[in-house]
Amino acid sequence: MTTELEGPRTDPRSAKGPAPDTATVLADISAILRVVLEEYGLDDFEITLETSFHDDLEVESIDLVTLSAQLREFYGERVNFAAFIADRGLEEIIELTVGDLVGHVVDILAVAEVR
């Protein structure tokens, strides 16, 4: 059963309104991850900035592809997960945390706000 996600609380594709803060983006990404990983039973799992994609969530490569698509659908074209991990080595990808992704999204949306 796939749950529809609402778009971001602040439209990151426009310069109107402030860019979302870390707490808001963490909540949004946590909701996205719960949808992407719902078949693994993460309903009651606490997702924090320190949560590891590999060790804690046991995310598989196909899940990363789905996450990438969901992030683009939710935040728009500016948030490109594939580009975010493209320059990382295998060890860096394995050590990737939710906080790393949250920081990236906050930074991207802040740049979008400035423009």
Side-chain angles (χ1 to χ4, degrees):
M1 178 175 144
T2 301
T3 305
E4 264 313 298
L5 290 171
E6 293 182 22
R9 292 171 186 88
T10 303
D11 186 355
R13 291 163 281 198
S14 72
K16 299 174 186 170
D21 62 8
T22 299
T24 301
V25 174
L26 174 60
D28 293 340
I29 289 177
S30 294
I32 292 168
L33 283 167
R34 289 183 197 292
V35 170
V36 170
L37 302 174
E38 71 184 338
E39 68 185 80
Y40 303 121
L42 291 176
D43 297 345
D44 60 350
F45 187 84
E46 181 181 7
I47 298 173
T48 68
L49 294 174
E50 292 79 29
T51 301
S52 163
F53 284 98
H54 182 265
D55 293 339
D56 297 324
L57 299 177
E58 298 179 4
V59 170
E60 310 253 340
S61 59
I62 189 67
D63 300 321
L64 292 177
V65 172
T66 304
L67 174 61
S68 178
Q70 289 292 324
L71 288 169
R72 272 196 168 178
E73 184 176 317
F74 191 81
Y75 288 111
E77 294 298 315
R78 286 188 183 97
V79 177
N80 185 336
F81 184 74
F84 171 61
I85 63 170
D87 292 333
R88 297 175 184 263
L90 181 58
E91 281 300 313
E92 290 176 296
I93 293 171
I94 290 171
E95 294 173 2
L96 192 66
T97 66
V98 172
D100 295 329
L101 178 56
V102 167
H104 171 70
V105 171
V106 168
D107 291 347
I108 292 294
L109 297 180
V111 168
E113 178 186 0
V114 171
R115 292 184 181 176

